[in-house]
Amino acid sequence: MKRKLIKITSRAVPIDQENIDTDQILPARYLKAITREGFAEKLFRDWRFDEHDQPKPDFVLNDPTYSGEILVAGRNFGSGSSREHAAWALADYGFTVVVSSFFGDIFKNNALNNSLLPIQVSEEFLRQLFEQIASDPATEVTVDVQAQTISAAGHTESFDIQPYKKICIMNGYDDIDYLVSMKERIEAFEKTRKDDYSIV
């Protein structure tokens, strides 16, 4: 069972760049691993470190000014190949929410399957959020999964999430956990079924 995400208030890390693809999130050379641990240090590896494996001071994840569990990114985040490892890396780093005005469909599903909530907002809200964080890095963003709202600096916007995925995110379920949670209801249903099979 994964971490439950019902409501979170956190500072945010901004990457104001469009079309960030999964190869930039997690370079292809790290795809050999089959477990989900240890990917945090590989997140945005080629942007975070130089050829000598030294941190690049101008990249936001190396800037102590910014921190938090919420990543705010430009339009079309997670485009490109379908690697689930990109979602693993973001979650392993400590992000629980990614905000953008558009997501790659496969990345969005991979994120939801790994308790990483992708929140799609309007271009206007995203721009306001970037501007607010730039003017005050201590800006806090509140995400209410139950109400399906995201708020910051007096601005609030609703977001969509599939009802099934909402249940899973709020309860920390994967698909198997969800089925286990339904065990009593399934058993009760089975008891009420009538055997209508007959041999002809």
Side-chain angles (χ1 to χ4, degrees), residues 81-144:
S81 65
S82 62
R83 69 194 63 169
E84 190 173 14
H85 300 64
W88 295 358
L90 288 159
D92 194 46
Y93 188 83
F95 289 118
T96 54
V97 174
V98 181
V99 182
S100 180
S101 57
F102 187 80
F103 291 95
D105 287 339
I106 297 176
F107 170 81
K108 189 173 185 178
N109 288 330
N110 285 339
L112 287 167
N113 289 337
N114 287 278
S115 295
L116 178 67
L117 179 61
I119 296 180
Q120 186 166 321
V121 297
S122 66
E123 293 283 356
E124 180 182 3
F125 185 90
L126 184 64
R127 183 49 47 196
Q128 290 173 340
L129 191 52
F130 274 128
E131 291 173 355
Q132 179 61 36
I133 296 170
S135 64
D136 181 9
T139 294
E140 291 191 325
V141 180
T142 296
V143 173
D144 188 328

Side-chain angles (χ1 to χ4, degrees), residues 11 57 59-68 137:
R11 293 172 63 170
F59 186 62
V60 66
L61 294 191
N62 297 326
D63 185 346
T65 303
Y66 300 100
S67 63

Side-chain angles (χ1 to χ4, degrees), residues 16-189:
D16 192 358
Q17 181 169 331
E18 296 185 353
N19 304 313
I20 298 174
D21 64 35
T22 51
D23 192 51
Q24 293 163 329
I25 297 170
L26 186 80
R29 61 186 180 276
Y30 298 120
L31 297 183
K32 295 179 181 179
I34 57 174
T35 60
R36 304 181 187 189
E37 294 76 31
F39 280 96
E41 65 181 35
K42 301 174 179 64
L43 178 66
F44 295 114
R45 183 74 189 186
D46 294 337
W47 290 0
R48 288 169 64 192
F49 299 92
D50 62 22
E51 64 273 18
H52 304 294
D53 285 332
Q54 296 302 306
K56 297 179 181 179
D58 58 345
F59 186 62
V60 66
L61 294 191
N62 297 326
D63 185 346
T65 303
Y66 300 100
S67 63
E69 296 182 48
I70 299 174
L71 176 66
V72 181
R75 179 178 174 79
N76 199 27
F77 185 84
S79 57
S81 65
S82 62
R83 69 194 63 169
E84 190 173 14
H85 300 64
W88 295 358
L90 288 159
D92 194 46
Y93 188 83
F95 289 118
T96 54
V97 174
V98 181
V99 182
S100 180
S101 57
F102 187 80
F103 291 95
D105 287 339
I106 297 176
F107 170 81
K108 189 173 185 178
N109 288 330
N110 285 339
L112 287 167
N113 289 337
N114 287 278
S115 295
L116 178 67
L117 179 61
I119 296 180
Q120 186 166 321
V121 297
S122 66
E123 293 283 356
E124 180 182 3
F125 185 90
L126 184 64
R127 183 49 47 196
Q128 290 173 340
L129 191 52
F130 274 128
E131 291 173 355
Q132 179 61 36
I133 296 170
S135 64
D136 181 9
T139 294
E140 291 191 325
V141 180
T142 296
V143 173
D144 188 328
V145 182
Q146 177 64 53
Q148 294 180 214
T149 59
I150 178 171
S151 306
H155 299 284
T156 299
E157 186 161 292
S158 298
F159 63 87
D160 293 328
I161 182 172
Q162 297 173 357
Y164 167 66
K165 290 301 184 183
K166 180 177 180 178
I167 292 172
C168 290
I169 287 286
M170 292 183 66
N171 290 279
Y173 292 160
D174 60 19
D175 292 336
I176 300 300
D177 293 326
Y178 177 79
L179 289 175
V180 171
S181 76
M182 299 290 288
K183 180 180 178 182
E184 291 184 1
R185 293 177 61 181
I186 293 171
E187 290 175 343
F189 173 75

